[in-house]
Amino acid sequence: MTDNTQRPHDGHNSPAPELPTQYAPADVEGKLYERWVERGYFEADAASDKPPFTVVIPPPNVTGSLHLGHAFEHTLIDAATRRKRMQGFETLWQPGMDHAGIATQNVVERELAKDGKSRHDLGREAFIERVWQWKDESGGQISGQMRRLGDGVAWSRERFTMDEGLSRAVQTIFKKLYDDELVYRAERIINWCPRCLTAISDIEVEYQEDDGELVSIRYGEGEASVVVATTRAETMLGDTAVAVHPDDERYRHLVGTEIELPLTGRRIPVVADAHVDPEFGTGAVKVTPAHDPNDFEIGQRHGLPAPAVLDERGVITAHGPFQGLDRFEARSAIVGALRAEGRVVAEKRPYKHSVGHCSRCKTTIEPRLSMQWWVKVGPLAKPAGDAVRDGRVAIHPEEMTKRYFDWVDNLHDWCISRQLWWGHRIPVWYGPNGEMVCVGPDEEPPTGEGWHQETDVLDTWFSSGLWPFSTLGWPERTESVEKFYPNSILVTGYDILFFWVVRMMMFGMYAMDGTPPFQTIVLHGMVRDQFGKKMSKSFGNAVNPLDWMDTYGSDAVRFTLARGANPGTDVPIGEDWVQGSRNFANKIWNATRFALMNGATVDGPLPAPEELSAADRWILSRLNTVVAEVDAYYDDYQFAKLSDALFHFAWDEVFDWYVELSKTTFQAGGPAADASRRVLGEVLDVTLRLLHPLVPFVTETLWTALTGGESLVVAQWPADSGFRDAAAEREIAVVQELVTEVRRFRADQGLQPGQKVPARLDLTGTALAPHEAAIRSLLRLQPEGEGFTATASLPVVGATVALDLSGTIDVAAERKRLTKDLAAAEKEKAQAKGKLGNEAFLGKAPEPVVDKIRKRLATAEEDIVRITAQLAALPEA
């Protein structure tokens, strides 16, 4: 049957407790979760001899709160982890939070601003102390929300990227990189936020289409002139060249000469550079090395100076009439001055173009030449690419592998310094005579007059890049490092494949002797609304998952998210889908309650197959098939498919068919009823185990009531015993076909589902005979009785079902309605056939239109067959 015939049950079968008539998630979830935590079910023992299964939480920001994206990701991780725990693995789901440098500093600065103060009023040390105070009092609310969702994390191991151990890991890796000459300090173009006053990473830049202006400006005079176009006229004050393509005949005579830069009194060279696209615009571009990354590269190739003309707040610093103006004020003033001199050749406004904004404060970012610390990524990126190429690390879904290589094979050096106070301060000291010393965690920094530490802190992604091993106690070779590294899987969104995943791959292999941090990287999509639109407060479609949990229960939210989790694709979700999942939880509840009330049991072995009815053997056969399917889907990270398989098996086959079929058996009593009670207990036991990782709260409540076991969290995962009974499956399929066809006929006649109808069943010569009582129960068919008149006769799967519909329907009205429907279907068929037989139409119509008409024809033909059969089954009026 199933493996349950050999394995012991997790507990004993005590007398069935009385379940409430309705499931109330709010009465169950909080208490259950605290019980799980108190019993230590989620903790991981590094000394265990069980095989390890490790997964880290993508650390949420300490400033954050649970949103649907978190709920989605955590549901998938929790489901995978709970299953592995039930399979006997020593399971570690590592929790923790990220210090979120810019976001956290901004939060505390806003609090200070309410009192009219800035961080500079407090000073660095006092400000950092204030941030820690905020973190202890207000940060980390997401931890409580994770408990609401049911996250099975090892809370005793919770880490924070600024805690003492992780700070030691950060200092250690920086020192190692420094000694290996893989970090360096250099002046380069970075993304700069004039509001946050720091460099920001690419992931912290949000691009959007803004209305700007495109101004074409003439540089030089007469034949010694060129026209350049720009959306940032204010940066022309920092131009140090005009560049053209080497093969552009229009400007060949100007290359190597100098032309006048308007408004400045300076002359700048015309240089030839292959970066310039001669087909774009005029084929000539202004070169501002200090304020554009491409221009900086051109400047490096041609030895151009790079004067900065904007300060850290976006204010003009170039000497002249525009000095002291904000960049946007200067833009208007400079265009006005150029216009007055007759230098403006053309103006286009509004001109829509993509502009980067700081994701934290929405300020327009400014490319800016700045002295920063950088990681030389080339030597780190190659091993990270090779680990995927040679199969040591698998990416799922496989088609995301190309995107990974696009990133890892084309990395630029990484700017890791941030001009903040909250974060890991770079462990470098500068001396009075230009000395520079990097200090490791066990080393004393240099002291004496003129020595001072670097004021910048490290990019948040630097510390989170160490997450898979720093959380285990590295740089010490702890028992946890030995047991739980590398991680078994990483589950995260494809949107941070580059920003986080690649960094973890680089640092993991660098720090851990070439061992990749993960065996499998599972990438999921983004949660969207039911129309596929991105969720956003500004769109008015953002959802707080806690609101849905309050209304429908955490299980309903989890199951809805899991059912939408197709690998690597975005997940649409709507409230009506959560309602449907709530209904599923109620269905599980009601079916188990029915089973308990009717004596379903898990005591003792299952009866031998010859002692079981066809329905019993059918459901056990289907149960084992589903166990195998679910395992295969889990191993392939197909959460949507496994959820769908369980939904349809539980609802359609167990609850709607087997439970209904067993009712007549229970009513009849005897050995057959006892056998079915044991089978029903078995099926529910295994089904609840299979469902538990997805919907842990309702399944735990029901399973402990059914089995008397300790907890599903530590129960054994079901295994496929190999039992199959194709004959029983065919037999029950015939029963299902007959019942479905008669139900359809009843509905077509306008009969209510519960309305009883006298009927005569002729099941002679079919496999249906043993199921007559069940068929009558399922179809609400009464015995034919005295005065029975067969007013409708349905031949189905070799049997005949004769119904007495007299007194239940208006035969004349029903015949009139069906005749009208038949005429409409025949007209639709004739029209569709006419179009498909018209060669002129077929020659001009697009294929989708033709295909649509073919489908209309097929539907019409099906309707004609169905309605004709219904008319034939009606009695004469």
Side-chain angles (χ1 to χ4, degrees):
M1 305 298 175
T2 71
D3 73 319
N4 297 17
T5 55
Q6 286 80 39
R7 66 172 168 78
H9 283 279
D10 305 279
H12 61 282
N13 197 43
S14 56
E18 193 73 28
L19 286 173
T21 55
Q22 289 185 319
Y23 176 50
D27 296 340
V28 169
E29 294 176 351
K31 296 173 186 175
L32 258 189
Y33 189 85
E34 289 311 311
R35 186 187 311 158
W36 292 335
V37 172
E38 287 166 8
R39 293 180 177 178
Y41 292 153
F42 303 141
E43 296 304 323
D45 181 5
S48 165
D49 58 2
K50 295 179 182 178
F53 180 82
T54 316
V55 57
V56 293
I57 193 171
N61 288 353
V62 67
T63 58
S65 60
L66 192 75
H67 56 63
L68 267 179
H70 288 127
F72 172 56
E73 185 168 80
H74 291 198
T75 294
L76 303 188
I77 299 173
D78 195 45
T81 307
R82 285 177 182 268
R83 171 179 175 252
K84 285 293 183 181
R85 188 180 293 111
M86 294 172 75
Q87 287 181 314
F89 286 77
E90 191 61 39
T91 302
L92 169 60
W93 183 8
Q94 174 65 53
M97 285 181 292
D98 192 285
H99 65 278
I102 294 178
T104 306
Q105 181 158 315
N106 281 350
V107 167
V108 178
E109 286 195 87
R110 283 196 294 270
E111 292 296 313
L112 289 174
K114 293 176 182 177
D115 299 327
K117 293 181 180 179
S118 74
R119 60 183 162 120
H120 300 285
D121 294 321
L122 273 67
R124 185 167 191 143
E125 289 188 16
F127 177 75
I128 296 299
E129 192 175 316
R130 179 67 67 89
V131 180
W132 277 108
Q133 180 184 337
W134 175 88
K135 187 261 181 188
D136 292 339
E137 294 175 358
S138 307
Q141 62 172 309
I142 200 168
S143 295
Q145 296 164 346
M146 286 165 59
R147 292 169 183 265
R148 283 286 312 278
L149 188 64
D151 286 2
V153 300
W155 286 112
S156 69
R157 292 172 171 264
E158 187 173 12
R159 304 305 298 268
F160 180 54
T161 50
M162 286 282 286
D163 69 28
E164 185 177 349
L166 269 65
S167 295
R168 179 179 177 83
V170 168
Q171 193 172 356
T172 300
I173 198 87
F174 187 93
K175 171 69 172 174
K176 180 174 168 60
L177 290 164
Y178 184 90
D179 290 346
D180 290 343
E181 298 183 349
L182 292 174
V183 291
Y184 62 92
R185 191 167 181 254
E187 199 172 36
R188 297 274 185 85
I189 294 285
I190 43 86
N191 300 311
W192 183 265
C193 176
R195 157 63 184 79
C196 298
L197 299 180
T198 181
I200 60 176
S201 68
D202 291 337
I203 197 172
E204 292 161 329
V205 178
E206 294 178 347
Y207 288 90
Q208 65 186 49
E209 292 291 313
D210 284 359
D211 284 337
E213 58 181 350
L214 182 67
V215 182
S216 298
I217 308 164
R218 182 175 299 281
Y219 285 19
E221 297 290 348
E223 291 189 4
S225 67
V226 294
V227 174
V228 299
T230 181
T231 58
R232 300 166 68 217
E234 69 280 8
T235 64
M236 70 167 292
L237 301 177
D239 286 358
T240 56
V242 169
V244 297
H245 194 275
D247 300 331
D248 195 331
E249 293 292 340
R250 293 171 295 175
Y251 303 114
R252 189 181 294 276
H253 67 290
L254 290 177
V255 174
T257 68
E258 291 187 342
I259 60 176
E260 180 188 355
L261 177 65
L263 305 181
T264 66
R266 291 193 288 117
R267 296 184 67 80
I268 57 176
V270 178
V271 299
D273 195 280
H275 170 76
V276 179
D277 180 1
E279 303 298 322
F280 183 76
T282 63
V285 297
K286 59 192 288 297
V287 182
T288 320
H291 297 284
D292 183 275
N294 294 321
D295 293 4
F296 177 77
E297 297 296 332
I298 294 174
Q300 291 284 294
R301 287 193 288 270
H302 297 277
L304 301 173
V309 295
L310 289 165
D311 71 8
E312 61 183 9
R313 297 182 183 277
V315 173
I316 297 292
T317 58
H319 183 70
F322 310 108
Q323 188 174 9
L325 292 180
D326 170 79
R327 53 185 168 158
F328 300 118
E329 295 173 332
R331 182 175 300 173
S332 298
I334 288 170
V335 171
L338 289 168
R339 196 183 295 117
E341 288 191 4
R343 295 281 186 173
V344 175
V345 176
E347 295 179 72
K348 185 177 181 180
R349 66 167 66 87
Y351 176 73
K352 279 200 173 296
H353 62 131
S354 182
V355 178
H357 295 259
C358 174
S359 63
R360 304 298 177 189
C361 66
K362 311 309 176 188
T363 301
T364 301
I365 64 110
E366 193 65 47
R368 185 168 186 259
L369 186 62
S370 179
M371 183 66 77
Q372 303 285 343
W373 282 91
W374 304 80
V375 169
K376 189 184 297 182
V377 299
L380 302 173
K382 186 180 185 304
D386 290 346
V388 174
R389 285 190 171 90
D390 63 26
R392 282 176 289 161
V393 178
I395 293 180
H396 187 87
E398 191 176 350
E399 54 267 26
M400 285 287 178
T401 305
K402 181 182 182 301
R403 184 179 294 191
Y404 175 83
F405 290 137
D406 287 344
W407 281 117
V408 82
D409 294 343
N410 298 285
L411 287 176
H412 297 293
D413 285 359
W414 169 22
C415 175
I416 55 171
S417 46
R418 298 290 180 267
Q419 291 64 56
L420 303 170
W421 287 357
W422 174 244
H424 295 101
R425 195 166 174 182
I426 292 175
V428 170
W429 271 255
Y430 304 108
N433 300 310
E435 302 96 331
M436 188 164 65
V437 176
C438 181
V439 177
D442 298 316
E443 300 171 353
E444 291 295 324
T447 57
E449 187 176 346
W451 283 93
H452 62 280
Q453 187 180 356
E454 169 67 69
T455 56
D456 287 356
V457 301
L458 288 163
D459 178 11
T460 297
W461 295 100
F462 190 94
S463 52
S464 59
L466 313 181
W467 194 247
F469 51 93
S470 64
T471 51
L472 299 174
W474 186 91
E476 277 64 54
R477 298 298 295 194
T478 64
E479 200 174 24
S480 289
V481 170
E482 297 295 337
K483 177 74 173 181
F484 295 115
Y485 187 91
N487 290 193
S488 307
I489 60 171
L490 172 74
V491 179
T492 192
Y494 63 68
D495 58 322
I496 55 173
L497 174 59
F498 164 59
F499 303 106
W500 188 42
V501 179
V502 170
R503 284 159 166 71
M504 287 190 289
M505 285 286 288
M506 292 193 302
F507 279 167
M509 299 187 71
Y510 175 67
M512 303 300 289
D513 303 319
T515 302
F518 326 105
Q519 295 164 354
T520 303
I521 298 169
V522 181
L523 298 170
H524 60 73
M526 305 296 103
V527 178
R528 297 180 178 272
D529 70 12
Q530 65 265 45
F531 306 109
K533 191 174 181 180
K534 179 181 177 181
M535 284 193 173
S536 165
K537 289 180 181 178
S538 59
F539 294 155
N541 64 349
V543 173
N544 182 347
L546 297 172
D547 293 340
W548 280 354
M549 289 184 213
D550 289 341
T551 305
Y552 305 109
S554 297
D555 285 332
V557 174
R558 289 171 60 115
F559 196 69
T560 304
L561 290 165
R563 285 194 80 185
N566 289 298
T569 60
D570 290 345
V571 183
I573 185 171
E575 187 168 2
D576 54 338
W577 303 343
V578 186
Q579 290 175 348
S581 296
R582 187 269 315 273
N583 294 344
F584 180 51
N586 289 341
K587 189 82 170 178
I588 302 170
W589 183 271
N590 292 334
T592 308
R593 188 167 176 271
F594 164 84
L596 289 170
M597 292 170 63
N598 284 275
T601 180
V602 297
D603 279 347
L606 284 166
E610 57 271 18
E611 298 174 31
L612 299 176
S613 69
D616 292 335
R617 286 181 280 112
W618 160 72
I619 198 63
L620 289 173
S621 180
R622 288 293 305 130
L623 179 67
N624 276 287
T625 299
V626 169
V627 169
E629 286 177 353
V630 168
D631 274 331
Y633 286 142
Y634 261 117
D635 292 341
D636 197 34
Y637 308 103
Q638 298 277 1
F639 292 98
K641 289 183 178 179
L642 73 90
S643 302
D644 217 44
L646 283 171
F647 174 85
H648 287 295
F649 173 70
W651 191 307
D652 300 345
E653 298 185 79
V654 178
F655 307 151
D656 279 357
W657 285 104
Y658 184 69
V659 166
E660 292 301 317
L661 288 167
S662 67
K663 285 180 179 178
T664 53
T665 308
F666 292 156
Q667 288 168 1
D674 291 338
S676 289
R677 289 187 181 95
R678 179 65 188 90
V679 170
L680 180 55
E682 182 76 7
V683 170
L684 286 174
D685 174 14
V686 175
T687 302
L688 291 170
R689 291 172 193 257
L690 292 173
L691 282 166
H692 176 72
L694 300 169
V695 285
F697 296 107
V698 67
T699 52
E700 173 86 338
T701 306
L702 295 173
W703 185 84
T704 52
L706 174 71
T707 69
E710 178 188 344
S711 172
L712 263 179
V713 180
V714 291
Q716 187 175 331
W717 182 255
D720 172 17
S721 70
F723 174 79
R724 301 290 190 278
D725 192 324
E729 290 195 35
R730 286 193 298 271
E731 184 172 330
I732 298 303
V734 174
V735 174
Q736 291 172 322
E737 186 176 351
L738 180 140
V739 170
T740 301
E741 285 299 316
V742 176
R743 279 176 175 169
R744 184 180 293 122
F745 176 78
R746 285 175 56 109
D748 288 339
Q749 308 309 315
L751 297 177
Q752 295 300 313
Q755 189 171 349
K756 294 182 178 180
V757 178
R760 177 189 302 139
L761 302 183
D762 182 1
L763 309 178
T764 307
T766 72
L768 295 165
H771 304 286
E772 179 168 354
I775 291 169
R776 285 187 176 276
S777 175
L778 288 163
L779 289 171
R780 306 295 190 269
L781 301 181
Q782 294 177 315
E784 50 194 276
E786 191 174 341
F788 174 83
T789 303
T791 60
S793 183
L794 299 173
V796 187
V797 291
T800 302
V801 179
L803 305 173
D804 184 353
L805 301 179
S806 57
T808 60
I809 61 171
D810 185 334
V811 175
E814 185 63 17
R815 183 175 293 281
K816 183 177 180 181
R817 181 184 71 81
L818 289 172
T819 302
K820 183 179 178 182
D821 290 347
L822 180 61
E826 288 173 337
K827 181 179 179 182
E828 175 74 3
K829 175 183 174 181
Q831 289 177 342
K833 286 192 74 172
K835 287 187 177 181
L836 293 173
N838 186 334
E839 293 297 332
F841 170 77
L842 294 176
K844 294 179 181 179
E847 185 57 33
V849 173
V850 176
D851 188 54
K852 187 176 180 180
I853 293 172
R854 289 194 187 103
K855 290 177 180 175
R856 283 171 49 192
L857 175 60
T859 301
E861 289 174 337
E862 290 171 3
D863 288 344
I864 289 169
V865 172
R866 176 178 55 82
I867 297 168
T868 301
Q870 291 172 20
L871 281 167
L874 282 175
E876 292 299 324

